[in-house]
């Protein structure tokens, strides 16, 4: 019974842990800049490989950019 009470006592301490500012990048700005560079890379690839560029691929690149931007905003503190 003591073990269970000790576990319950120490569980809330784990919720006070501070998350990293940004998991893979130093700041939110660096994360968003990386997203923009990846987006340009996708668009360049689509332009080079497909003539004319396929609308579905461009739409997919836009969707990827949207969700990567949201991930940067949600995971990075500053």
């Amino acid at each position: 019974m003591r073990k269970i009470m000790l576990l319950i006592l120490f569980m809330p301490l784990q919720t006070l842990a501070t998350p990293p500012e940004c998991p893979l990048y130093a700041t939110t700005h660096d994360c968003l800049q990386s997203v923009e560079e990846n987006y340009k890379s996708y668009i360049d690839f689509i332009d080079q490989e497909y003539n004319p560029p396929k609308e579905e691929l461009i739409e997919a690149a836009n969707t990827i950019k949207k969700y990567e931007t949201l991930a940067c905003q949600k995971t990075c503190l500053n």
Side-chain angles (χ1 to χ4, degrees):
M1 188 67 164
R2 289 181 194 175
K3 291 179 184 178
I4 293 174
M5 289 194 315
L6 285 174
L7 287 174
I8 292 172
L9 176 68
F10 289 116
M11 275 186 181
L13 295 177
Q14 293 175 355
T15 60
L16 300 176
T18 56
E21 180 179 338
C22 204
L24 299 176
Y25 303 98
T27 62
T28 304
H29 182 272
D30 291 344
C31 186
L32 293 173
Q33 187 175 5
S34 174
V35 169
E36 189 64 36
E37 290 172 5
N38 288 340
Y39 176 72
K40 288 179 184 176
S41 171
Y42 294 148
I43 296 298
D44 289 342
F45 175 76
I46 292 169
D47 286 341
Q48 291 173 0
E49 295 296 321
Y50 299 97
N51 287 326
K54 301 217 176 200
E55 294 301 321
E56 297 91 10
L57 296 174
I58 293 173
E59 186 176 331
N62 291 334
T63 304
I64 290 170
K65 180 180 177 184
K66 173 186 171 185
Y67 286 109
E68 284 183 344
T69 301
L70 287 174
C72 286
Q73 293 170 351
K74 295 286 184 183
T75 59
C76 300
L77 297 178
N78 292 330

